Amino acid sequence: QVQVKESGGGSVQAGGSLRLSCECSGYTCSRYAMAWFRQVPGQEREAIAGLDVDGATDYADSVVGRFSISKDHAKSTLYLQMNSLTPEDTAMYYCAAECDSGSGWKIPSLCNDWGQGIQVTVLS
């Protein structure tokens, strides 16, 4: 069974940076796309960055040019480097594993495994 656990969240001043980590345990972690989502209370979960098995990356318009998704395959760990943070980036961030390839990672129901989420707060 795949287990996913996020780390690295916290509070940061606007304009600052944070790096989120997501440890994925399970043999399928390397066989499917992985992704980062975020959610603000009262709003739908937003797909923000995806990494496909072939190494292709994709980003939501709201984070392109500021966020970068990557993976250390040896550690089975997914990262999200977040730069130039703004208060609008404040949300609970979730790592997802076993996501469909292509654009499938953008649809929460097409990712099978989720972390518990980690809070990111950007102070103005």
Side-chain angles (χ1 to χ4, degrees):
Q1 183 176 356
V2 174
Q3 293 186 327
V4 179
K5 183 178 180 181
E6 304 96 341
S7 62
S11 297
V12 65
Q13 292 289 332
S17 299
L18 278 176
R19 188 177 79 159
L20 303 183
S21 299
C22 170
E23 293 183 38
C24 182
S25 60
Y27 81 99
T28 60
C29 290
S30 61
R31 299 188 179 194
Y32 294 89
M34 295 186 69
W36 288 98
F37 292 73
R38 66 186 181 188
Q39 189 169 24
V40 175
Q43 297 185 17
E44 293 186 354
R45 192 164 292 191
E46 175 190 17
I48 57 172
L51 177 65
D52 215 333
V53 289
D54 63 357
T57 59
D58 194 11
Y59 299 92
D61 289 343
S62 58
V63 306
V64 69
R66 300 187 300 122
F67 291 13
S68 177
I69 188 171
S70 62
K71 188 176 183 182
D72 184 330
H73 292 278
K75 297 180 179 179
S76 195
T77 300
L78 185 74
Y79 300 101
L80 184 68
Q81 177 67 42
M82 305 185 294
N83 300 326
S84 302
L85 286 162
T86 73
E88 288 69 36
D89 295 313
T90 295
M92 186 73 77
Y93 283 69
Y94 296 89
C95 177
E98 289 193 319
C99 301
D100 276 19
S101 292
S103 298
W105 68 269
K106 299 179 181 180
I107 303 172
S109 62
L110 296 185
C111 295
N112 288 331
D113 302 286
W114 294 84
Q116 292 188 332
I118 193 162
Q119 180 68 35
V120 171
T121 301
V122 183
L123 306 171
S124 58

